[in-house]
Amino acid sequence: MDVQTALVFALQLVALFSIAGALLLYLLCKIRGNSKPDENGTSPGGGKPVLITCCDNVVGLQVAIHLANRGFRVFAGLKEGATEGCNNDDSVPSRVIRSWQKHRESTECLTTGALIALPIDVTREDVLHEAVDIIRAHLPAGKDGLWAVINTGGLLYRGKLDQQNISHWDAMLKTTVLGILRVTRAFQGLLRSAGGRIITFGAIEGGEAGLVAYTASRYAVEGASNALREELSPMGIKVVCLNNHGLPDDLMFAMPKLKSKQESGDVSVDMSGCLDYYPTALSDTALQTLDVAITSGKPKRNYTLMRNPKWLNPLQFVKVV
């Protein structure tokens, strides 16, 4: 081999190794970029365990699926079918969760996200204590803590104060306010172990005729969150309250419905075989705000979810991806 041929061959090798090195560097940067916080301070879930107390409504179900897709290990509380462990429950939330699980199993997805349904009734301490044991059993070896507990349970009954049944007041306060206190007491140990956080949906701005008791329950949640923040701070537990101004009250705790094919009446699925349901509750911006609240090392006391509520279309469908 003459000198000129050898030189050309050497240059080709240098170019080849340069391309390979550049490609390797790009892949390393891509991997590191996916594991670092983005410009909003959020980062992938990394398998962190999170409990959503109620996925029977559209807010809880949407948050659960969103966080599971973000890589969190989500425990989705379902009141329906609690005695059967939710596996045989035919409710819409349970079917949607099972479709997410089946789709994830059928695709060789490398994400650490998971969605685990478990029975939770925030009005029953015995069920809450059983849920603690179930979560502990599903945590990875050596792990004994929850990164976050997101309180999405609640009730809304409309009616003027002088006409409304007092039992409706009791039910709203028992579920919305006392439910958060019961959940906090039951899961305090798991939260303390992980230095976790409690997230609540607090007061709405203003008020509306026919929603006096409901509005009172929302402000009570915010007041309880402030007091819990002071009490739990020495234990390393953070408390974050989300302001849901702009989110329609009736949509907050609406029950999800499956989208059906108009012609055949069959349940609609997307291209990957996952179930479609509606309505949409939280906008993309609201979900990004939630991401910040749940991933920030030093979260704020309060976040506003709906900065531009005009976007909302209550009939917009949510696609389970």
Side-chain angles (χ1 to χ4, degrees):
M1 181 184 296
D2 58 27
V3 175
Q4 185 175 3
T5 303
L7 181 61
V8 172
F9 182 71
L11 290 175
Q12 289 176 337
L13 285 177
V14 170
L16 180 62
F17 281 113
S18 297
I19 294 173
L23 180 59
L24 180 60
L25 181 62
Y26 170 79
L27 292 175
L28 289 174
C29 291
K30 190 72 173 177
I31 293 173
R32 291 183 63 187
N34 286 338
S35 63
K36 288 185 177 180
D38 61 24
E39 61 185 8
N40 293 322
T42 62
S43 62
K48 294 184 178 69
V50 173
L51 169 65
I52 314 295
T53 62
C54 180
C55 294
D56 295 295
N57 55 51
V58 293
V59 170
L61 185 58
Q62 184 181 3
V63 169
I65 293 171
H66 170 73
L67 292 181
N69 287 334
R70 288 271 293 153
F72 287 90
R73 188 175 186 84
V74 179
F75 295 94
L78 293 175
K79 188 175 181 179
E80 296 293 331
T83 57
E84 300 177 358
C86 308
N87 293 324
N88 300 318
D89 179 22
D90 198 43
S91 67
V92 171
S94 184
R95 293 175 64 185
V96 170
I97 289 173
R98 288 200 299 269
S99 74
W100 188 96
Q101 295 168 333
K102 185 177 296 184
H103 169 60
R104 190 54 60 97
E105 291 172 358
S106 64
T107 58
E108 295 182 359
C109 188
L110 300 179
T111 181
T112 54
L115 195 52
I116 304 165
L118 76 164
I120 283 188
D121 184 343
V122 299
T123 67
R124 292 181 53 187
E125 292 194 29
D126 59 331
V127 175
L128 290 174
H129 289 306
E130 290 175 3
V132 171
D133 294 334
I134 294 173
I135 289 176
R136 278 204 171 102
H138 280 84
L139 291 176
K143 301 292 185 179
D144 187 28
L146 277 172
W147 177 258
V149 172
I150 304 178
N151 292 275
T152 54
L155 291 174
L156 184 151
Y157 291 110
R158 288 185 174 273
K160 292 185 177 181
L161 196 65
D162 59 348
Q163 300 175 359
Q164 195 170 32
N165 193 317
I166 294 180
S167 64
H168 288 173
W169 304 353
D170 294 337
M172 282 187 281
L173 292 171
K174 184 178 180 181
T175 302
T176 306
V177 183
L178 297 182
I180 289 177
L181 301 184
R182 286 193 179 92
V183 166
T184 300
R185 184 160 67 177
F187 293 95
Q188 181 174 314
L190 288 175
L191 287 166
R192 183 170 55 232
S193 297
R197 65 198 65 194
I198 298 169
I199 298 179
T200 63
F201 288 82
I204 54 177
E205 295 184 13
E208 181 182 336
L211 290 179
V212 174
Y214 169 76
T215 303
S217 71
R218 301 316 309 174
Y219 275 97
V221 168
E222 184 162 346
S225 299
N226 293 335
L228 282 171
R229 185 179 299 111
E230 299 301 320
E231 183 171 323
L232 301 178
S233 177
M235 304 178 191
I237 300 175
K238 309 167 187 67
V239 179
V240 179
C241 191
L242 304 177
N243 186 325
N244 51 302
H245 170 62
L247 180 62
D249 300 310
D250 292 305
L251 185 60
M252 180 74 185
F253 304 113
M255 299 296 104
K257 300 179 181 179
L258 290 179
K259 178 182 177 182
S260 299
K261 297 177 182 177
Q262 295 181 354
E263 296 181 359
S264 63
D266 295 333
V267 176
S268 178
V269 296
D270 63 15
M271 295 299 294
S272 63
C274 293
L275 298 180
D276 283 347
Y277 72 94
Y278 71 99
T280 294
L282 300 176
S283 66
D284 290 340
T285 300
L287 291 174
Q288 290 172 7
T289 302
L290 175 67
D291 287 341
V292 174
I294 198 173
T295 59
S296 175
K298 295 182 178 179
K300 297 179 182 178
R301 297 162 58 96
N302 301 86
Y303 290 90
T304 299
L305 287 178
M306 310 289 285
R307 298 186 181 278
N308 184 17
K310 293 182 179 180
W311 77 275
L312 191 64
N313 177 5
L315 296 181
Q316 185 174 351
F317 293 99
V318 175
K319 184 167 289 187
V320 183
V321 181

